[in-house]
Amino acid sequence: MIINQIAEFCIQYDETSSLMRVAWMAERNMERFQQAFTQLHVLVKQLCVKRIVLDLNRMPDIPVYDQLWLSTRFMPALFTVPLEQVVIVLSAQRVYNQQVVEGVLMAVDAQLPFEAHFFTHPAAALAWLTDESPRLPGLWAEWVDYFGDFFSYSDEVAEPLAGYEPQ
């Protein structure tokens, strides 16, 4: 089922597998970053989500103020939900945000009540998290039907490689 409660996120929830797929879609607009993540926390708690795929590929670099908020407010609040596994999707080009997320996770590592993993592509993350569930093609089709090609995933280099001609 697609959930449209939080404007900054594309959200899909599968009650049968207690799986939520979330992708940032607010582009460079970080005005409601904290409110959006607070609303996400409430939704995850309300639905008793056990596994989540959080795709942050379209999110701009997370400002320091929001990093502090994630460490001191959001992560401790996550400890009150029944999450078992969290998969963060970040491509190889999103090094800064990967370091930010790793830093936030390390800040609370001793208290972390769930597994956290990184993947570069949501297809691999979903396949791993669902153990190649037969429900996966249907979930993927629902996502594509609803969001179309809004999300394109490429691990290509952001700038062209230099051309070297023999002399």
Side-chain angles (χ1 to χ4, degrees):
M1 136 177 66
I2 301 296
I3 300 173
N4 290 320
Q5 284 180 221
I6 308 168
E8 291 77 13
F9 292 116
C10 295
I11 303 172
Q12 180 183 39
Y13 175 63
D14 181 48
E15 185 175 9
T16 303
S17 58
S18 189
L19 171 72
M20 182 177 280
R21 178 179 179 184
V22 180
W24 180 262
M25 66 177 279
E27 298 289 331
R28 303 205 59 77
N29 185 356
M30 296 289 279
E31 272 182 43
R32 287 189 18 91
F33 175 87
Q34 292 179 19
Q35 293 90 341
F37 272 89
T38 298
Q39 288 177 290
L40 182 62
H41 165 259
V42 169
L43 184 61
V44 167
K45 189 172 185 173
Q46 181 181 46
L47 296 174
C48 296
V49 175
K50 294 197 183 317
R51 298 177 296 166
I52 190 166
V53 173
L54 182 59
D55 185 340
L56 302 179
N57 275 318
R58 296 181 65 88
M59 181 179 284
D61 291 347
I62 302 169
V64 173
Y65 180 78
D66 289 325
Q67 293 174 36
L68 291 171
W69 177 83
L70 284 170
S71 296
T72 60
R73 300 289 181 113
F74 182 72
M75 289 304 292
L78 268 189
F79 297 167
T80 66
V81 297
L83 280 173
E84 295 173 3
Q85 295 174 306
V86 174
V87 174
I88 298 103
V89 177
L90 283 165
S91 77
Q93 286 81 39
R94 304 300 307 171
V95 174
Y96 178 82
N97 277 351
Q98 180 164 348
Q99 290 175 337
V100 167
V101 174
E102 287 174 347
V104 168
L105 290 171
M106 285 189 335
V108 295
D109 186 44
Q111 305 157 316
L112 205 59
F114 52 80
E115 294 177 27
H117 303 275
F118 285 88
F119 279 78
T120 59
H121 195 283
L126 285 165
W128 179 80
L129 198 57
T130 63
D131 198 24
E132 300 284 346
S133 166
R135 299 182 55 74
L136 195 53
L139 292 171
W140 196 264
E142 178 185 51
W143 182 271
V144 171
D145 286 348
Y146 199 86
F147 300 113
D149 62 358
F150 181 75
F151 296 96
S152 60
Y153 301 96
S154 172
D155 284 336
E156 294 177 10
V157 177
E159 56 191 7
L161 295 175
Y164 295 102
E165 304 278 331
Q167 296 195 23

